[in-house]
Amino acid sequence: MSLRILHICKVYLPIRGGVQKVVSAMASLTSQYEHRVLTTGEDGAVKRQTLNGNEVIRCRSYLEIASMPMAPSLLNEARHQAKNSDLIALHNPFPLADLALATVLRLPPCVVFWHSNIVAQKKLKWLTFPLIYLTLSRATRIVVTSSRMIHNSRLLKRFEQKVTVIPYGLPSIEVEHQTQTQTQTQTQTSAVSRDYFILIGRHVSYKGINVAIRAMRSVDSRLIVVGDGPLFEQHKLLAETLGVADKVEFFTNVDDDDLVRLLQPSLALILPSIMPNEAFALVQLEAMRLGKPVINTWLPSTVPDIARDQKEGLTVSPGDSVELAEAMQRLLSDKHWAKEMGERARQRFNDHFTEQHFKRSLDAFFAELLTRGS
């Protein structure tokens, strides 16, 4: 009988996002274990189904408070599922799950994957902090993506002795596929300037999409923004108000293949995030594996450790549209330098962030935890 790992996360596929992609990758890369996912879903979502060979259990969310789904049935479901699990993998931030685990008296070995700090809900810190602290106290291990995450979190510093660093990884893309997608993109986006920048992310406040739009007032190029979200119309209106609507093009409902096709001819990826909610940004790896430099920001998270300043890209101050525009113009004015950084980005991806690296780290990590708990 396979050892059973229960993943608990706020939302899951088919809703797209970085955490969802990481959880799905963990399950597929360590298929020697039985993986189940406990998550939330809005009214009408499939309550139980099998996705990619793994059982997914969704507890109905009736509303959201401070971006946290209110799904009361998750409390009972977590207790029930914990009894039938050899290991619990909690994907934070998700305070409701912390509350659920607090009610489980005999907790199996538990690992907390610390995807990001809770930033936007500071007013509720007095309520969530004790629950999170209790979870971390009871956890066997805590996983972060870089030591930078520990050094910039007072809470994690208290548990530094149980923290393990495991960077994420993505599959490599074959050269043949790159050539094919580049040809397809040149046909499908013929209206787009050849030297365009690309920004990939949901239209939410911490992504800094408004900063990038403001920067375009001083950039002699085009920007493609890929994604959807609650601020989508607001960002489109901002581009029109600032007179850069002819420079900024918005794409929604883009699948993984289309994303590759849009990334391939671009000059660089723009990641203008302004808050440490952006803890890793898998989109950096998506660009780097295609040989694209990245312009990111000096966040107190793993973000600037992926594509490093002056090596695989440029790093600018969060929220500074002038500095961002200057970085974009530097790449435009020296495309040979931009290409060199892109090649270094590809090499860094191959050396540290492939799916194979991620799998080796996960195999060793889960084997150690499950052997200890058996």
Side-chain angles (χ1 to χ4, degrees):
M1 181 178 177
S2 298
L3 293 171
R4 299 158 295 186
I5 300 177
L6 173 67
H7 298 269
I8 307 179
C9 53
K10 185 166 69 172
V11 291
Y12 192 59
L13 303 176
I15 298 174
R16 301 183 67 183
V19 174
Q20 298 91 299
K21 184 174 287 188
V22 169
V23 175
S24 177
M26 286 182 185
S28 64
L29 292 175
T30 58
S31 57
Q32 66 269 38
Y33 306 116
E34 177 188 324
H35 294 269
R36 282 169 292 143
V37 178
L38 176 60
T39 186
T40 68
E42 296 179 352
D43 188 23
V46 179
K47 293 183 178 179
R48 288 179 181 266
Q49 65 180 147
T50 299
L51 285 177
N52 302 322
N54 303 302
E55 183 182 10
V56 179
I57 305 160
R58 290 188 175 85
C59 299
R60 181 183 174 186
S61 173
Y62 292 87
L63 74 160
E64 283 194 2
I65 298 178
S67 300
M68 185 175 74
M70 293 292 104
S73 62
L74 188 136
L75 301 178
N76 285 330
E77 191 66 46
R79 285 195 294 268
H80 172 71
Q81 294 295 332
K83 294 177 183 177
N84 300 303
S85 301
D86 298 297
L87 176 69
I88 293 178
L90 173 59
H91 298 270
N92 269 4
F94 188 16
L96 182 63
D98 293 300
L99 175 60
L101 293 185
T103 67
V104 180
L105 297 180
R106 300 190 64 180
L107 195 66
C110 177
V111 55
V112 176
F113 286 90
W114 193 265
H115 295 281
S116 72
N117 294 322
I118 298 179
V119 178
Q121 299 81 20
K122 287 184 177 179
K123 291 182 179 179
L124 296 178
K125 188 175 180 179
W126 64 271
L127 178 62
T128 59
F129 180 84
L131 294 170
I132 297 171
Y133 189 91
L134 177 61
T135 299
L136 296 180
S137 299
R138 301 174 74 191
T140 307
R141 302 295 294 173
I142 303 165
V143 176
V144 297
T145 51
S146 74
S147 58
R148 188 180 176 89
M149 295 288 290
I150 307 170
H151 299 154
N152 288 289
S153 170
R154 292 181 180 178
L155 185 56
L156 288 181
K157 283 180 181 178
R158 300 185 186 187
F159 301 97
E160 189 169 358
Q161 73 281 359
K162 61 169 74 174
V163 176
T164 298
V165 175
I166 300 179
Y168 305 144
L170 290 179
S172 301
I173 294 181
E174 297 298 328
V175 175
E176 294 81 1
H177 181 56
Q178 293 183 38
T179 303
Q180 178 185 9
T181 54
Q182 184 172 9
T183 302
Q184 291 172 334
T185 307
Q186 290 169 346
T187 301
Q188 295 178 10
T189 60
S190 57
V192 178
S193 169
R194 183 177 181 182
D195 296 318
Y196 64 86
F197 295 89
I198 186 167
L199 190 163
I200 303 165
R202 294 191 70 236
H203 288 263
V204 291
S205 58
Y206 77 86
K207 290 290 185 180
I209 295 175
N210 60 328
V211 179
I213 294 172
R214 294 181 187 280
M216 291 306 296
R217 291 176 295 181
S218 306
V219 178
D220 186 23
S221 184
R222 292 176 62 88
L223 173 67
I224 288 182
V225 182
V226 180
D228 206 340
L231 299 182
F232 177 77
E233 293 299 332
Q234 183 175 319
H235 289 151
K236 288 189 69 176
L237 179 61
L238 178 63
E240 294 171 2
T241 302
L242 295 178
V244 296
D246 60 328
K247 290 184 176 183
V248 183
E249 188 169 357
F250 296 89
F251 284 70
T252 58
N253 301 318
V254 174
D255 63 22
D256 290 342
D257 287 338
D258 288 335
L259 189 59
V260 172
R261 286 192 282 269
L262 286 169
L263 267 168
Q264 184 63 53
S266 68
L267 181 62
L269 172 76
I270 307 300
L271 186 73
S273 302
I274 60 174
M275 298 174 69
N277 301 52
E278 192 74 88
F280 187 90
L282 278 172
V283 292
Q284 293 193 97
L285 302 189
E286 304 211 24
M288 291 167 68
R289 68 181 175 179
L290 290 170
K292 302 299 170 182
V294 178
I295 301 177
N296 56 25
T297 53
W298 288 115
L299 293 174
S301 67
T302 304
V303 166
D305 282 350
I306 305 303
R308 299 165 298 177
D309 187 39
Q310 304 292 329
K311 294 182 179 179
E312 297 85 29
L314 297 172
T315 305
V316 300
S317 302
D320 192 330
S321 61
V322 174
E323 193 175 341
L324 176 60
E326 290 173 351
M328 295 168 76
Q329 282 296 136
R330 286 182 67 186
L331 296 188
L332 279 168
S333 63
D334 193 342
K335 291 170 188 158
H336 178 72
W337 183 51
K339 186 175 181 180
E340 285 183 344
M341 285 197 294
E343 288 306 313
R344 289 196 294 269
R346 192 200 310 272
Q347 189 60 52
R348 180 160 171 77
F349 170 82
N350 289 333
D351 289 345
H352 300 284
F353 300 112
T354 65
E355 190 177 64
Q356 289 78 14
H357 287 92
F358 192 29
K359 175 176 170 52
R360 283 196 293 269
S361 297
L362 289 174
D363 282 340
F365 181 70
F366 282 141
E368 189 269 334
L369 279 176
L370 290 164
T371 300
R372 178 190 299 181
S374 61

